[in-house]
Amino acid sequence: MAEEVSLKKLRISVIVLGLVGFAISFEALRQHILHTHGLASGGSFCDISQYVNCNAVNASVWSTFLGIPIASYGIFFYLSLIGLSLLTGQSKAVSYRAMASLVLLGGAVAVVLSLFLFSLSLFVIKALCILCIGLYLVNVLLLVFAWLLAFKGHFTEGLSSGVRGILTFIRTALASQDSQKARGVRFSLVSLVLLAVCSWAVGPLMLRLFVAKLEPGEDLVRESVLAWKSSPAVSVPVSPNGGALGDYAKGTPGAPIQIVEFADFECPGCRRLYFALSELLQSYPGQYQLVFRNYPLDHRCNPGITKEFHRSACAAALFSRCAGEQGKYWESLDWLFSLPELEDGLSLEDVQSILVTKGPQELELDPEGLGECMASDRQAKKIRDDIAIADQLGLESTPAFWINGKRFPRPTVEGLSVVFSSIVGAE
């Protein structure tokens, strides 16, 4: 009787922990999608410091397995535990003892994987995600509850019972007999496969919902263009003839389309729009001038950012300015915006090492001159000046554009195309 009470407590505990694990996994998947697809407007709520930073973990190659976010596997695991618990009972398909064995086995595997992922975060990614830590805690509690409530410390007995249960399940599913038990097992197997597919589909469906709200539809483009047309023109100070300490510009001075862009090299939206804009401008030869300015979203060089966000953005901005001293400014922008290491969540030290070793090789820079420039303060001061000007202009997010002195909100290549055409057509 006492054992049955303990097993019933375990069943309730598994349902509660499964729901908690599912909720955390769902939020972790949401954060992963927002970050990796450039849909977040700022840092995650758990971007607390350089070492407690969900975005850094999400940006790493370890955030997915076989192309599927790790959080999706968590959704499948916890929903499976909840389903198992709901099927457990004296008059139901699964006995309390079998449920306890499977929970102990599942909890043990989950804890081993948790230790592996925690080690990766600590020693490879060098950043921790509090959502992940919450899941690790749930996995430990699942293991401890199954161990103490069902097996009273007989850990090996519980594990072997769980393994035997899995093997029996597989043998029954593959057996040629058509008994009621075999049909029930096969139905359970099909249900698990469907649950796995549904768990995987949560991510793509969530992405479609986010994109449906944020992608540049006709209404959004129209609103952006109208907002630009009605916006008052302001003076955006630029100094394209200021030499190595001035602004870098490409295009034709005095052209009808005057563009000032503020961007961040780690910003996913900036990275996508940079190349789309470059392609668009090829349709307006001699009709534009583009001035590029830095606005790194990190506290190391931007006083308006109070915590670590894009940890390597300041270093990348400094690299571009120093490459400009050697006549390779625009080449450095092309290289930085396509550099995968700025999306992989590497530590600042690793990215800096890549910038000063790989950068000079690929851009044919003088490494000593680059090192001297990055160690000095002259280009860092120019970046601070860019940030101060952007703050005075009321910059809200990156990428940010001022076209002919007017702010262009929610920039998209579709909207920019409409504005450029209207300017050229009005001449």
Side-chain angles (χ1 to χ4, degrees):
M1 184 67 180
E3 181 183 12
E4 183 177 344
V5 172
S6 295
L7 290 172
K8 288 182 178 179
K9 288 181 180 178
L10 175 60
R11 176 176 176 268
I12 295 172
S13 300
V14 171
I15 292 175
V16 172
L17 289 172
L19 289 171
V20 173
F22 169 78
I24 297 176
S25 297
F26 188 87
E27 176 59 22
L29 178 62
R30 191 180 77 89
Q31 292 291 331
H32 175 87
I33 290 173
L34 287 173
H35 175 77
T36 56
H37 292 86
L39 300 174
S41 58
S44 166
F45 66 89
C46 64
D47 294 344
I48 298 173
S49 67
Q50 177 179 356
Y51 301 106
V52 182
N53 193 305
C54 290
N55 277 344
V57 176
N58 280 324
S60 74
V61 296
W62 300 100
S63 66
T64 62
F65 179 68
L66 299 178
I68 300 174
I70 296 295
S72 293
Y73 293 98
I75 289 175
F76 170 72
F77 175 65
Y78 297 114
L79 286 180
S80 298
L81 287 179
I82 294 171
L84 174 67
S85 301
L86 294 177
L87 293 173
T88 299
Q90 292 180 340
S91 59
K92 295 185 179 180
V94 183
S95 69
Y96 283 114
R97 201 68 180 169
M99 178 270 296
S101 298
L102 292 174
V103 171
L104 183 72
L105 178 62
V109 173
V111 167
V112 170
L113 290 175
S114 297
L115 290 171
F116 172 70
L117 293 173
F118 180 75
S119 299
L120 284 176
S121 293
L122 202 60
F123 301 111
V124 178
I125 305 173
K126 297 180 181 177
L128 298 174
C129 167
I130 59 175
L131 292 171
C132 304
I133 293 174
L135 292 175
Y136 304 157
L137 179 60
V138 169
N139 295 336
V140 170
L141 291 176
L142 281 169
L143 178 62
V144 170
F145 284 175
W147 184 8
L148 296 181
L149 290 176
F151 296 97
K152 308 260 189 293
H154 299 290
F155 188 74
T156 306
E157 175 193 340
L159 284 182
S160 61
S161 176
V163 171
R164 287 196 301 271
I166 294 293
L167 294 176
T168 301
F169 180 85
I170 295 174
R171 283 198 301 269
T172 305
L174 297 176
S176 58
Q177 65 209 36
D178 192 31
S179 65
Q180 182 177 355
K181 182 177 181 181
R183 288 195 297 271
V185 168
R186 288 167 187 154
F187 175 79
S188 300
L189 184 60
V190 171
S191 299
L192 281 174
V193 172
L194 290 175
L195 180 59
V197 172
C198 291
S199 300
W200 168 82
V202 170
L205 287 174
M206 193 182 296
L207 175 59
R208 287 179 67 89
L209 288 174
F210 287 142
V211 171
K213 293 180 179 179
L214 298 176
E215 69 180 359
E218 291 184 7
D219 290 341
L220 179 58
V221 171
R222 187 182 302 110
E223 289 175 6
S224 296
V225 173
L226 290 175
W228 172 78
K229 288 183 177 180
S230 61
S231 176
V234 297
S235 175
V236 183
V238 294
S239 55
N241 299 318
L245 296 178
D247 295 313
Y248 289 97
K250 66 177 177 179
T252 305
I257 305 173
Q258 293 291 318
I259 311 162
V260 178
E261 176 184 3
F262 291 86
D264 170 301
F265 290 107
E266 274 194 72
C267 160
C270 299
R271 293 171 71 87
R272 287 196 303 269
L273 191 55
Y274 175 80
F275 293 105
L277 175 61
S278 297
E279 184 176 349
L280 175 62
L281 289 176
Q282 293 177 12
S283 302
Y284 297 91
Q287 296 176 308
Y288 75 89
Q289 183 179 53
L290 169 65
V291 173
F292 185 93
R293 311 189 84 150
N294 290 288
Y295 195 87
L297 296 170
D298 191 70
H299 68 289
R300 292 178 178 84
C301 63
N302 190 332
I305 307 296
T306 59
K307 58 184 179 181
E308 181 178 89
F309 184 27
H310 290 164
R311 67 173 67 172
S312 301
C314 294
L318 183 59
F319 174 88
S320 70
R321 295 289 315 179
C322 289
E325 288 192 354
Q326 300 186 36
K328 294 295 181 71
Y329 183 73
W330 296 103
E331 293 87 346
S332 74
L333 264 59
D334 293 344
W335 184 69
L336 288 167
F337 275 122
S338 59
L339 188 66
E341 286 82 357
L342 286 175
E343 295 182 303
D344 290 344
L346 298 182
S347 68
L348 174 61
E349 293 76 14
D350 290 338
V351 172
Q352 287 177 322
S353 176
I354 290 169
L355 293 178
V356 298
T357 56
K358 191 176 178 181
Q361 294 175 1
E362 299 201 5
L363 297 175
E364 299 181 353
L365 301 173
D366 171 32
E368 292 186 4
L370 177 70
E372 183 277 328
C373 174
M374 294 187 71
S376 74
D377 190 57
R378 61 179 179 273
Q379 295 298 346
K381 181 180 183 302
K382 177 63 176 70
I383 294 171
R384 293 195 295 271
D385 290 343
D386 283 358
I387 293 170
I389 290 172
D391 289 338
Q392 291 172 6
L393 291 170
L395 181 145
E396 298 172 348
S397 61
T398 58
F401 287 84
W402 273 260
I403 304 172
N404 292 356
K406 297 182 177 183
R407 185 177 69 90
F408 184 75
R410 300 179 297 278
T412 62
V413 69
E414 294 85 357
L416 290 170
S417 177
V418 172
V419 169
F420 295 167
S421 297
S422 68
I423 293 173
V424 173
E427 286 194 298

